[in-house]
Amino acid sequence: GENVEQHPSTLSVQEGDSAVIKCTYSDSASNYFPWYKQELGKRPQLIIDIRSNVGEKKDQRIAVTLNKTAKHFSLHITETQPEDSAVYFCPFCQGAQKLVFGQGTRLTINP
Amino acid sequence: NAGVMQNPRHLVRRRGQEARLRCSPMKGHSHVYWYRQLPEEGLKFMVYLQKENIIDESGMPKERFSAEFPKEGPSILRIQQVVRGDSAAYFCASSPQEIGVPYHEQYFGPGTRLTVT
């Protein structure tokens, strides 16, 4: 079925460096791409999203880029800080209704 | 504007008892979704509701689980005769309804952590 593949499954970076997480999708009709951050024991938090009519969106240290031809979109976090440590998800929006989550990427920021 | 509210935050039930989880969507939101999360896993969709209607329950187990979103009051996820395998975090999300907009942001509540002993 339609889904999203997310890479890497774990990522460890030094504080201050950049982190990039990539998701590849299969449904060419997809046109909404959200990113959620979930800290340990907390709720998933929508941190940024993009619709297919734009190629890039930025919000302070966070940016998302979309390549519709290659069917992938990426989350970029610059100047990483310890509080960026969390699991990041790029769920697939199925039927414009439910979100289908994968296993996510566990990001660890090393001080 | 208060966010999505869920209660209780923690719920302990013995095997065979009933669990009722409540979710109040954000003000102005008419769509509610329930997800379940096991430890170290992603969230799994369970059910999507609008006021007085179940739109998609494809993720709900066939037995013991039910959900409702009445005209007045919160959405309720009900689990009858709980078993140990029901222990998980249950998250509710809500989204607004905008005519002509095919996708809407979903905002999550803090979750209810159910423990079955």
Side-chain angles (χ1 to χ4, degrees):
Chain A
E2 307 296 354
N3 61 11
V4 170
E5 292 186 0
Q6 186 171 343
H7 301 281
S9 57
T10 60
L11 179 61
S12 183
V13 302
Q14 288 297 121
E15 182 178 353
D17 289 348
S18 295
V20 180
I21 303 170
K22 182 176 175 179
C23 286
T24 305
Y25 60 97
S26 56
D27 182 3
S28 56
S30 298
N31 57 20
Y32 176 63
F33 307 92
W35 282 96
Y36 284 84
K37 171 186 179 183
Q38 187 177 29
E39 296 176 66
L40 188 62
K42 301 282 184 65
R43 75 184 79 190
Q45 178 187 3
L46 179 66
I47 55 172
I48 196 166
D49 58 10
I50 194 169
R51 297 182 190 267
S52 60
N53 56 346
V54 297
E56 182 175 2
K57 184 175 178 180
K58 191 172 181 180
D59 183 3
Q60 299 182 6
R61 296 186 299 108
I62 295 173
V64 55
T65 58
L66 172 64
N67 184 328
K68 287 218 77 177
T69 303
K71 294 184 186 175
H72 65 73
F73 59 109
S74 300
L75 177 71
H76 305 254
I77 306 175
T78 58
E79 300 172 26
T80 53
Q81 300 169 6
E83 53 265 37
D84 295 328
S85 293
V87 179
Y88 291 81
F89 296 99
C90 56
F92 170 68
C93 298
Q94 189 169 59
Q97 299 167 352
K98 60 190 179 188
L99 298 175
V100 179
F101 285 80
Q103 297 298 310
T105 294
R106 183 172 299 277
L107 175 64
T108 302
I109 308 300
N110 301 310
Chain B
N1 187 7
V4 179
M5 308 290 284
Q6 286 187 253
N7 67 81
R9 297 290 304 277
H10 299 274
L11 182 61
V12 179
R13 284 286 178 267
R14 290 200 188 98
R15 280 180 298 171
Q17 291 184 320
E18 178 179 288
R20 280 186 178 236
L21 288 62
R22 285 175 288 277
C23 169
S24 296
M26 288 178 69
K27 186 177 180 181
H29 286 193
S30 58
H31 298 204
V32 166
Y33 312 79
W34 285 93
Y35 295 84
R36 176 165 63 178
Q37 186 175 35
L38 296 173
E40 303 297 320
E41 293 190 10
L43 287 79
K44 295 288 191 285
F45 169 80
M46 299 181 75
V47 63
Y48 162 41
L49 309 104
Q50 295 179 19
K51 285 282 187 182
E52 299 184 281
N53 282 308
I54 296 175
I55 307 302
D56 181 349
E57 56 182 348
S58 58
M60 288 279 271
K62 299 298 181 195
E63 298 176 346
R64 302 189 297 109
F65 285 72
S66 62
E68 63 177 5
F69 189 14
K71 188 176 180 180
E72 300 291 337
S75 175
I76 306 286
L77 179 67
R78 182 183 177 204
I79 311 172
Q80 295 178 289
Q81 300 174 333
V82 296
V83 300
R84 288 223 172 102
D86 296 333
S87 295
Y90 291 83
F91 289 95
C92 164
S94 74
S95 68
Q97 181 179 26
E98 296 177 43
I99 296 173
V101 178
Y103 296 98
H104 306 98
E105 301 88 349
Q106 290 188 24
Y107 297 94
F108 284 82
T112 293
R113 277 148 187 84
L114 173 66
T115 302
V116 180
T117 61

mmCIF file of all heavy atoms in Angstrom, chain A residues 31-32 36 38 41-44 46 49 51 89 93 96-99 101-103 106, chain B residues 33 35 37 40-43 45 48 55-56 58 91 102-103 105-106 108-110 113:
data_model
loop_
_atom_site.group_PDB
_atom_site.id
_atom_site.type_symbol
_atom_site.label_atom_id
_atom_site.label_comp_id
_atom_site.label_asym_id
_atom_site.label_seq_id
_atom_site.Cartn_x
_atom_site.Cartn_y
_atom_site.Cartn_z
ATOM 1 N N ASN A 31 -0.104 15.494 -1.413
ATOM 2 C CA ASN A 31 0.219 16.913 -1.523
ATOM 3 C C ASN A 31 0.276 17.621 -0.179
ATOM 4 O O ASN A 31 0.186 18.846 -0.119
ATOM 5 C CB ASN A 31 -0.745 17.613 -2.481
ATOM 6 C CG ASN A 31 -2.188 17.455 -2.056
ATOM 7 O OD1 ASN A 31 -2.483 17.166 -0.906
ATOM 8 N ND2 ASN A 31 -3.099 17.629 -2.998
ATOM 9 N N TYR A 32 0.403 16.858 0.889
ATOM 10 C CA TYR A 32 0.574 17.474 2.208
ATOM 11 C C TYR A 32 1.595 16.668 2.978
ATOM 12 O O TYR A 32 1.467 15.437 3.093
ATOM 13 C CB TYR A 32 -0.760 17.526 2.964
ATOM 14 C CG TYR A 32 -0.647 18.060 4.375
ATOM 15 C CD1 TYR A 32 -0.218 19.363 4.610
ATOM 16 C CD2 TYR A 32 -0.964 17.271 5.471
ATOM 17 C CE1 TYR A 32 -0.104 19.853 5.903
ATOM 18 C CE2 TYR A 32 -0.863 17.753 6.763
ATOM 19 C CZ TYR A 32 -0.429 19.045 6.971
ATOM 20 O OH TYR A 32 -0.320 19.536 8.242
ATOM 21 N N TYR A 36 6.423 15.760 12.529
ATOM 22 C CA TYR A 36 6.100 15.779 13.945
ATOM 23 C C TYR A 36 7.345 15.442 14.755
ATOM 24 O O TYR A 36 8.157 14.606 14.364
ATOM 25 C CB TYR A 36 4.998 14.763 14.270
ATOM 26 C CG TYR A 36 3.616 15.206 13.862
ATOM 27 C CD1 TYR A 36 3.157 15.010 12.561
ATOM 28 C CD2 TYR A 36 2.774 15.834 14.772
ATOM 29 C CE1 TYR A 36 1.897 15.429 12.182
ATOM 30 C CE2 TYR A 36 1.502 16.253 14.408
ATOM 31 C CZ TYR A 36 1.070 16.042 13.110
ATOM 32 O OH TYR A 36 -0.194 16.458 12.739
ATOM 33 N N GLN A 38 8.437 14.178 18.619
ATOM 34 C CA GLN A 38 7.914 13.616 19.864
ATOM 35 C C GLN A 38 9.054 13.404 20.847
ATOM 36 O O GLN A 38 9.931 12.558 20.646
ATOM 37 C CB GLN A 38 7.170 12.293 19.618
ATOM 38 C CG GLN A 38 6.467 11.783 20.870
ATOM 39 C CD GLN A 38 5.655 10.518 20.634
ATOM 40 O OE1 GLN A 38 5.975 9.712 19.756
ATOM 41 N NE2 GLN A 38 4.584 10.340 21.396
ATOM 42 N N GLY A 41 7.918 10.576 26.314
ATOM 43 C CA GLY A 41 6.785 10.717 27.214
ATOM 44 C C GLY A 41 5.838 11.865 26.887
ATOM 45 O O GLY A 41 4.916 12.144 27.652
ATOM 46 N N LYS A 42 6.066 12.515 25.743
ATOM 47 C CA LYS A 42 5.238 13.674 25.395
ATOM 48 C C LYS A 42 4.372 13.389 24.157
ATOM 49 O O LYS A 42 4.490 12.341 23.532
ATOM 50 C CB LYS A 42 6.140 14.882 25.103
ATOM 51 C CG LYS A 42 7.048 15.286 26.257
ATOM 52 C CD LYS A 42 6.298 16.043 27.302
ATOM 53 C CE LYS A 42 7.193 16.544 28.425
ATOM 54 N NZ LYS A 42 8.169 17.545 27.939
ATOM 55 N N ARG A 43 3.552 14.337 23.833
ATOM 56 C CA ARG A 43 2.692 14.209 22.666
ATOM 57 C C ARG A 43 3.468 14.484 21.385
ATOM 58 O O ARG A 43 4.455 15.212 21.416
ATOM 59 C CB ARG A 43 1.543 15.210 22.762
ATOM 60 C CG ARG A 43 1.965 16.659 22.464
ATOM 61 C CD ARG A 43 0.842 17.654 22.658
ATOM 62 N NE ARG A 43 0.638 17.966 24.074
ATOM 63 C CZ ARG A 43 -0.392 18.651 24.552
ATOM 64 N NH1 ARG A 43 -1.328 19.072 23.728
ATOM 65 N NH2 ARG A 43 -0.498 18.906 25.825
ATOM 66 N N PRO A 44 3.042 13.954 20.241
ATOM 67 C CA PRO A 44 3.628 14.382 18.956
ATOM 68 C C PRO A 44 3.271 15.841 18.719
ATOM 69 O O PRO A 44 2.117 16.254 18.891
ATOM 70 C CB PRO A 44 2.946 13.472 17.936
ATOM 71 C CG PRO A 44 2.405 12.334 18.721
ATOM 72 C CD PRO A 44 2.048 12.897 20.062
ATOM 73 N N LEU A 46 3.379 18.980 15.990
ATOM 74 C CA LEU A 46 3.579 19.419 14.605
ATOM 75 C C LEU A 46 4.576 20.566 14.596
ATOM 76 O O LEU A 46 4.345 21.600 15.201
ATOM 77 C CB LEU A 46 2.238 19.873 14.010
ATOM 78 C CG LEU A 46 2.275 20.393 12.579
ATOM 79 C CD1 LEU A 46 2.639 19.278 11.612
ATOM 80 C CD2 LEU A 46 0.928 20.995 12.193
ATOM 81 N N ASP A 49 5.133 21.928 8.271
ATOM 82 C CA ASP A 49 4.497 21.153 7.212
ATOM 83 C C ASP A 49 4.619 21.911 5.897
ATOM 84 O O ASP A 49 4.924 23.100 5.878
ATOM 85 C CB ASP A 49 3.034 20.835 7.533
ATOM 86 C CG ASP A 49 2.176 22.078 7.767
ATOM 87 O OD1 ASP A 49 2.648 23.205 7.502
ATOM 88 O OD2 ASP A 49 1.034 21.922 8.244
ATOM 89 N N ARG A 51 2.980 22.003 1.688
ATOM 90 C CA ARG A 51 2.043 21.508 0.688
ATOM 91 C C ARG A 51 2.742 21.482 -0.658
ATOM 92 O O ARG A 51 3.755 22.154 -0.850
ATOM 93 C CB ARG A 51 0.783 22.373 0.671
ATOM 94 C CG ARG A 51 0.050 22.309 1.998
ATOM 95 C CD ARG A 51 -1.236 23.098 2.067
ATOM 96 N NE ARG A 51 -1.718 23.159 3.447
ATOM 97 C CZ ARG A 51 -2.576 22.303 3.981
ATOM 98 N NH1 ARG A 51 -3.044 21.331 3.244
ATOM 99 N NH2 ARG A 51 -2.956 22.412 5.243
ATOM 100 N N PHE A 89 8.894 12.222 13.113
ATOM 101 C CA PHE A 89 8.048 11.420 12.221
ATOM 102 C C PHE A 89 7.616 12.230 11.007
ATOM 103 O O PHE A 89 7.323 13.432 11.127
ATOM 104 C CB PHE A 89 6.771 10.960 12.945
ATOM 105 C CG PHE A 89 6.989 10.033 14.100
ATOM 106 C CD1 PHE A 89 6.986 10.524 15.405
ATOM 107 C CD2 PHE A 89 7.173 8.672 13.904
ATOM 108 C CE1 PHE A 89 7.161 9.659 16.485
ATOM 109 C CE2 PHE A 89 7.347 7.809 14.977
ATOM 110 C CZ PHE A 89 7.344 8.308 16.274
ATOM 111 N N CYS A 93 -0.190 11.042 4.741
ATOM 112 C CA CYS A 93 -1.583 11.454 4.881
ATOM 113 C C CYS A 93 -2.422 10.625 3.935
ATOM 114 O O CYS A 93 -2.401 10.832 2.728
ATOM 115 C CB CYS A 93 -1.745 12.928 4.575
ATOM 116 S SG CYS A 93 -0.818 13.953 5.688
ATOM 117 N N ALA A 96 -6.563 12.033 2.856
ATOM 118 C CA ALA A 96 -6.768 13.387 3.397
ATOM 119 C C ALA A 96 -7.313 13.345 4.822
ATOM 120 O O ALA A 96 -7.873 14.323 5.298
ATOM 121 C CB ALA A 96 -7.716 14.188 2.508
ATOM 122 N N GLN A 97 -7.181 12.204 5.473
ATOM 123 C CA GLN A 97 -7.773 12.099 6.795
ATOM 124 C C GLN A 97 -6.747 11.581 7.801
ATOM 125 O O GLN A 97 -6.169 12.337 8.554
ATOM 126 C CB GLN A 97 -8.996 11.180 6.749
ATOM 127 C CG GLN A 97 -10.080 11.679 5.832
ATOM 128 C CD GLN A 97 -11.132 10.621 5.568
ATOM 129 O OE1 GLN A 97 -11.002 9.473 5.945
ATOM 130 N NE2 GLN A 97 -12.200 11.018 4.910
ATOM 131 N N LYS A 98 -6.515 10.291 7.793
ATOM 132 C CA LYS A 98 -5.663 9.745 8.836
ATOM 133 C C LYS A 98 -4.190 9.881 8.483
ATOM 134 O O LYS A 98 -3.798 9.952 7.313
ATOM 135 C CB LYS A 98 -6.006 8.281 9.071
ATOM 136 C CG LYS A 98 -5.829 7.391 7.851
ATOM 137 C CD LYS A 98 -6.424 6.018 8.132
ATOM 138 C CE LYS A 98 -6.303 5.106 6.931
ATOM 139 N NZ LYS A 98 -7.052 3.841 7.125
ATOM 140 N N LEU A 99 -3.389 9.928 9.531
ATOM 141 C CA LEU A 99 -1.938 9.945 9.398
ATOM 142 C C LEU A 99 -1.412 8.537 9.625
ATOM 143 O O LEU A 99 -1.768 7.884 10.599
ATOM 144 C CB LEU A 99 -1.323 10.905 10.420
ATOM 145 C CG LEU A 99 -1.719 12.380 10.288
ATOM 146 C CD1 LEU A 99 -1.127 13.185 11.430
ATOM 147 C CD2 LEU A 99 -1.275 12.928 8.943
ATOM 148 N N PHE A 101 1.836 6.607 10.467
ATOM 149 C CA PHE A 101 3.166 6.849 11.015
ATOM 150 C C PHE A 101 4.068 5.642 10.784
ATOM 151 O O PHE A 101 3.644 4.503 10.900
ATOM 152 C CB PHE A 101 3.076 7.098 12.525
ATOM 153 C CG PHE A 101 2.551 8.451 12.905
ATOM 154 C CD1 PHE A 101 1.181 8.704 12.880
ATOM 155 C CD2 PHE A 101 3.403 9.464 13.301
ATOM 156 C CE1 PHE A 101 0.682 9.948 13.237
ATOM 157 C CE2 PHE A 101 2.916 10.712 13.667
ATOM 158 C CZ PHE A 101 1.553 10.958 13.633
ATOM 159 N N GLY A 102 5.352 5.927 10.503
ATOM 160 C CA GLY A 102 6.376 4.899 10.480
ATOM 161 C C GLY A 102 7.036 4.830 11.843
ATOM 162 O O GLY A 102 6.478 5.279 12.853
ATOM 163 N N GLN A 103 8.257 4.277 11.859
ATOM 164 C CA GLN A 103 8.970 4.105 13.113
ATOM 165 C C GLN A 103 9.688 5.363 13.558
ATOM 166 O O GLN A 103 10.129 5.468 14.700
ATOM 167 C CB GLN A 103 9.994 2.970 12.978
ATOM 168 C CG GLN A 103 9.375 1.618 12.699
ATOM 169 C CD GLN A 103 8.464 1.167 13.813
ATOM 170 O OE1 GLN A 103 8.826 1.192 14.979
ATOM 171 N NE2 GLN A 103 7.245 0.776 13.468
ATOM 172 N N ARG A 106 15.172 8.590 15.467
ATOM 173 C CA ARG A 106 15.574 9.014 16.814
ATOM 174 C C ARG A 106 16.806 9.887 16.681
ATOM 175 O O ARG A 106 17.882 9.414 16.313
ATOM 176 C CB ARG A 106 15.860 7.801 17.696
ATOM 177 C CG ARG A 106 16.215 8.170 19.139
ATOM 178 C CD ARG A 106 16.305 6.938 20.012
ATOM 179 N NE ARG A 106 15.046 6.228 20.055
ATOM 180 C CZ ARG A 106 14.034 6.525 20.842
ATOM 181 N NH1 ARG A 106 14.116 7.558 21.663
ATOM 182 N NH2 ARG A 106 12.929 5.801 20.827
ATOM 183 N N TYR B 33 -9.470 12.377 15.898
ATOM 184 C CA TYR B 33 -8.794 11.134 15.516
ATOM 185 C C TYR B 33 -8.210 10.505 16.778
ATOM 186 O O TYR B 33 -7.721 11.212 17.656
ATOM 187 C CB TYR B 33 -7.636 11.414 14.553
ATOM 188 C CG TYR B 33 -7.969 12.329 13.404
ATOM 189 C CD1 TYR B 33 -8.032 13.709 13.581
ATOM 190 C CD2 TYR B 33 -8.192 11.829 12.126
ATOM 191 C CE1 TYR B 33 -8.338 14.557 12.536
ATOM 192 C CE2 TYR B 33 -8.488 12.674 11.065
ATOM 193 C CZ TYR B 33 -8.555 14.035 11.282
ATOM 194 O OH TYR B 33 -8.857 14.873 10.232
ATOM 195 N N TYR B 35 -5.364 7.616 18.094
ATOM 196 C CA TYR B 35 -4.205 6.815 17.725
ATOM 197 C C TYR B 35 -3.725 6.059 18.964
ATOM 198 O O TYR B 35 -3.890 6.515 20.097
ATOM 199 C CB TYR B 35 -3.058 7.709 17.231
ATOM 200 C CG TYR B 35 -3.326 8.457 15.950
ATOM 201 C CD1 TYR B 35 -4.016 9.669 15.962
ATOM 202 C CD2 TYR B 35 -2.885 7.962 14.733
ATOM 203 C CE1 TYR B 35 -4.261 10.365 14.792
ATOM 204 C CE2 TYR B 35 -3.116 8.653 13.548
ATOM 205 C CZ TYR B 35 -3.808 9.848 13.583
ATOM 206 O OH TYR B 35 -4.050 10.535 12.417
ATOM 207 N N GLN B 37 -0.224 4.142 20.652
ATOM 208 C CA GLN B 37 1.226 4.027 20.528
ATOM 209 C C GLN B 37 1.759 3.055 21.560
ATOM 210 O O GLN B 37 1.613 3.270 22.766
ATOM 211 C CB GLN B 37 1.906 5.391 20.699
ATOM 212 C CG GLN B 37 3.398 5.354 20.429
ATOM 213 C CD GLN B 37 4.036 6.738 20.482
ATOM 214 O OE1 GLN B 37 3.634 7.574 21.278
ATOM 215 N NE2 GLN B 37 5.038 6.980 19.630
ATOM 216 N N GLU B 40 8.273 2.441 22.057
ATOM 217 C CA GLU B 40 9.299 2.379 21.010
ATOM 218 C C GLU B 40 8.707 2.208 19.609
ATOM 219 O O GLU B 40 9.399 1.792 18.687
ATOM 220 C CB GLU B 40 10.295 1.236 21.284
ATOM 221 C CG GLU B 40 10.988 1.316 22.633
ATOM 222 C CD GLU B 40 11.854 2.542 22.792
ATOM 223 O OE1 GLU B 40 12.543 2.910 21.812
ATOM 224 O OE2 GLU B 40 11.856 3.147 23.883
ATOM 225 N N GLU B 41 7.456 2.527 19.434
ATOM 226 C CA GLU B 41 6.840 2.417 18.110
ATOM 227 C C GLU B 41 6.184 3.728 17.705
ATOM 228 O O GLU B 41 6.011 4.633 18.509
ATOM 229 C CB GLU B 41 5.794 1.291 18.104
ATOM 230 C CG GLU B 41 6.404 -0.089 18.266
ATOM 231 C CD GLU B 41 5.396 -1.187 18.015
ATOM 232 O OE1 GLU B 41 4.286 -0.899 17.541
ATOM 233 O OE2 GLU B 41 5.736 -2.356 18.301
ATOM 234 N N GLY B 42 5.818 3.804 16.428
ATOM 235 C CA GLY B 42 5.077 4.956 15.951
ATOM 236 C C GLY B 42 3.607 4.835 16.330
ATOM 237 O O GLY B 42 3.172 3.836 16.878
ATOM 238 N N LEU B 43 2.869 5.878 16.034
ATOM 239 C CA LEU B 43 1.447 5.872 16.342
ATOM 240 C C LEU B 43 0.678 5.094 15.279
ATOM 241 O O LEU B 43 1.009 5.149 14.095
ATOM 242 C CB LEU B 43 0.907 7.305 16.399
ATOM 243 C CG LEU B 43 1.312 8.126 17.617
ATOM 244 C CD1 LEU B 43 2.711 8.670 17.486
ATOM 245 C CD2 LEU B 43 0.322 9.277 17.822
ATOM 246 N N PHE B 45 -3.106 4.579 13.655
ATOM 247 C CA PHE B 45 -4.445 5.147 13.539
ATOM 248 C C PHE B 45 -5.490 4.146 14.001
ATOM 249 O O PHE B 45 -5.409 2.944 13.704
ATOM 250 C CB PHE B 45 -4.705 5.525 12.076
ATOM 251 C CG PHE B 45 -6.133 5.870 11.771
ATOM 252 C CD1 PHE B 45 -6.644 7.118 12.069
ATOM 253 C CD2 PHE B 45 -6.980 4.929 11.189
ATOM 254 C CE1 PHE B 45 -7.965 7.434 11.788
ATOM 255 C CE2 PHE B 45 -8.297 5.233 10.904
ATOM 256 C CZ PHE B 45 -8.789 6.489 11.200
ATOM 257 N N TYR B 48 -11.504 7.799 13.075
ATOM 258 C CA TYR B 48 -11.680 9.213 12.724
ATOM 259 C C TYR B 48 -13.167 9.530 12.854
ATOM 260 O O TYR B 48 -14.008 8.838 12.282
ATOM 261 C CB TYR B 48 -11.172 9.442 11.307
ATOM 262 C CG TYR B 48 -11.617 10.697 10.603
ATOM 263 C CD1 TYR B 48 -11.692 11.924 11.263
ATOM 264 C CD2 TYR B 48 -11.928 10.662 9.239
ATOM 265 C CE1 TYR B 48 -12.077 13.073 10.583
ATOM 266 C CE2 TYR B 48 -12.317 11.804 8.556
ATOM 267 C CZ TYR B 48 -12.397 13.003 9.229
ATOM 268 O OH TYR B 48 -12.778 14.139 8.554
ATOM 269 N N ILE B 55 -16.353 8.347 10.742
ATOM 270 C CA ILE B 55 -16.018 8.476 9.330
ATOM 271 C C ILE B 55 -15.149 7.300 8.864
ATOM 272 O O ILE B 55 -15.337 6.764 7.779
ATOM 273 C CB ILE B 55 -15.283 9.795 9.055
ATOM 274 C CG1 ILE B 55 -16.084 10.975 9.606
ATOM 275 C CG2 ILE B 55 -15.004 9.956 7.570
ATOM 276 C CD1 ILE B 55 -17.491 11.093 9.036
ATOM 277 N N ASP B 56 -14.184 6.908 9.707
ATOM 278 C CA ASP B 56 -13.259 5.837 9.329
ATOM 279 C C ASP B 56 -12.843 5.112 10.595
ATOM 280 O O ASP B 56 -12.234 5.716 11.465
ATOM 281 C CB ASP B 56 -12.043 6.436 8.611
ATOM 282 C CG ASP B 56 -11.028 5.387 8.143
ATOM 283 O OD1 ASP B 56 -11.132 4.203 8.541
ATOM 284 O OD2 ASP B 56 -10.121 5.748 7.389
ATOM 285 N N SER B 58 -11.242 2.016 10.377
ATOM 286 C CA SER B 58 -10.482 0.909 9.818
ATOM 287 C C SER B 58 -9.361 0.428 10.735
ATOM 288 O O SER B 58 -8.880 -0.686 10.591
ATOM 289 C CB SER B 58 -9.903 1.294 8.453
ATOM 290 O OG SER B 58 -9.073 2.436 8.570
ATOM 291 N N PHE B 91 -3.508 8.494 22.046
ATOM 292 C CA PHE B 91 -3.497 9.911 21.724
ATOM 293 C C PHE B 91 -4.717 10.272 20.896
ATOM 294 O O PHE B 91 -5.122 9.543 19.989
ATOM 295 C CB PHE B 91 -2.239 10.287 20.935
ATOM 296 C CG PHE B 91 -0.973 10.265 21.746
ATOM 297 C CD1 PHE B 91 -0.162 9.146 21.751
ATOM 298 C CD2 PHE B 91 -0.596 11.362 22.498
ATOM 299 C CE1 PHE B 91 1.015 9.117 22.495
ATOM 300 C CE2 PHE B 91 0.571 11.349 23.251
ATOM 301 C CZ PHE B 91 1.377 10.224 23.257
ATOM 302 N N PRO B 102 -8.040 20.188 1.249
ATOM 303 C CA PRO B 102 -8.067 18.728 1.361
ATOM 304 C C PRO B 102 -7.317 18.162 2.552
ATOM 305 O O PRO B 102 -7.638 17.099 3.042
ATOM 306 C CB PRO B 102 -7.419 18.275 0.048
ATOM 307 C CG PRO B 102 -6.552 19.415 -0.362
ATOM 308 C CD PRO B 102 -7.242 20.656 0.125
ATOM 309 N N TYR B 103 -6.293 18.855 3.035
ATOM 310 C CA TYR B 103 -5.530 18.328 4.156
ATOM 311 C C TYR B 103 -5.502 19.355 5.275
ATOM 312 O O TYR B 103 -5.370 20.551 5.041
ATOM 313 C CB TYR B 103 -4.093 18.009 3.738
ATOM 314 C CG TYR B 103 -4.001 16.910 2.711
ATOM 315 C CD1 TYR B 103 -3.868 17.200 1.371
ATOM 316 C CD2 TYR B 103 -4.050 15.579 3.102
ATOM 317 C CE1 TYR B 103 -3.784 16.189 0.437
ATOM 318 C CE2 TYR B 103 -3.960 14.558 2.169
ATOM 319 C CZ TYR B 103 -3.826 14.876 0.827
ATOM 320 O OH TYR B 103 -3.734 13.877 -0.094
ATOM 321 N N GLU B 105 -4.038 20.290 9.326
ATOM 322 C CA GLU B 105 -3.102 19.972 10.394
ATOM 323 C C GLU B 105 -3.839 19.238 11.512
ATOM 324 O O GLU B 105 -4.969 19.586 11.864
ATOM 325 C CB GLU B 105 -2.498 21.259 10.973
ATOM 326 C CG GLU B 105 -1.764 22.111 9.970
ATOM 327 C CD GLU B 105 -2.680 23.103 9.266
ATOM 328 O OE1 GLU B 105 -3.903 23.003 9.404
ATOM 329 O OE2 GLU B 105 -2.140 23.988 8.569
ATOM 330 N N GLN B 106 -3.175 18.236 12.055
ATOM 331 C CA GLN B 106 -3.718 17.532 13.219
ATOM 332 C C GLN B 106 -2.878 17.903 14.430
ATOM 333 O O GLN B 106 -1.651 17.800 14.397
ATOM 334 C CB GLN B 106 -3.693 16.017 13.000
ATOM 335 C CG GLN B 106 -4.697 15.548 11.955
ATOM 336 C CD GLN B 106 -4.799 14.036 11.879
ATOM 337 O OE1 GLN B 106 -4.496 13.324 12.836
ATOM 338 N NE2 GLN B 106 -5.221 13.546 10.730
ATOM 339 N N PHE B 108 -2.221 17.178 18.473
ATOM 340 C CA PHE B 108 -2.388 16.072 19.408
ATOM 341 C C PHE B 108 -2.559 16.543 20.842
ATOM 342 O O PHE B 108 -1.997 17.560 21.263
ATOM 343 C CB PHE B 108 -1.171 15.140 19.338
ATOM 344 C CG PHE B 108 -1.168 14.261 18.124
ATOM 345 C CD1 PHE B 108 -0.708 14.721 16.912
ATOM 346 C CD2 PHE B 108 -1.652 12.956 18.200
ATOM 347 C CE1 PHE B 108 -0.726 13.913 15.779
ATOM 348 C CE2 PHE B 108 -1.664 12.139 17.076
ATOM 349 C CZ PHE B 108 -1.200 12.622 15.869
ATOM 350 N N GLY B 109 -3.339 15.756 21.574
ATOM 351 C CA GLY B 109 -3.456 15.952 23.006
ATOM 352 C C GLY B 109 -2.303 15.280 23.731
ATOM 353 O O GLY B 109 -1.469 14.617 23.105
ATOM 354 N N PRO B 110 -2.255 15.403 25.063
ATOM 355 C CA PRO B 110 -1.140 14.867 25.848
ATOM 356 C C PRO B 110 -1.164 13.357 25.992
ATOM 357 O O PRO B 110 -0.190 12.768 26.447
ATOM 358 C CB PRO B 110 -1.305 15.551 27.209
ATOM 359 C CG PRO B 110 -2.765 15.844 27.295
ATOM 360 C CD PRO B 110 -3.199 16.160 25.906
ATOM 361 N N ARG B 113 -2.186 7.344 29.243
ATOM 362 C CA ARG B 113 -1.376 6.131 29.359
ATOM 363 C C ARG B 113 -2.153 5.090 30.140
ATOM 364 O O ARG B 113 -2.389 5.259 31.337
ATOM 365 C CB ARG B 113 -0.035 6.462 30.010
ATOM 366 C CG ARG B 113 0.940 6.984 28.980
ATOM 367 C CD ARG B 113 1.932 8.008 29.518
ATOM 368 N NE ARG B 113 2.702 8.577 28.429
ATOM 369 C CZ ARG B 113 2.307 9.596 27.673
ATOM 370 N NH1 ARG B 113 1.163 10.168 27.884
ATOM 371 N NH2 ARG B 113 3.062 10.044 26.692
#
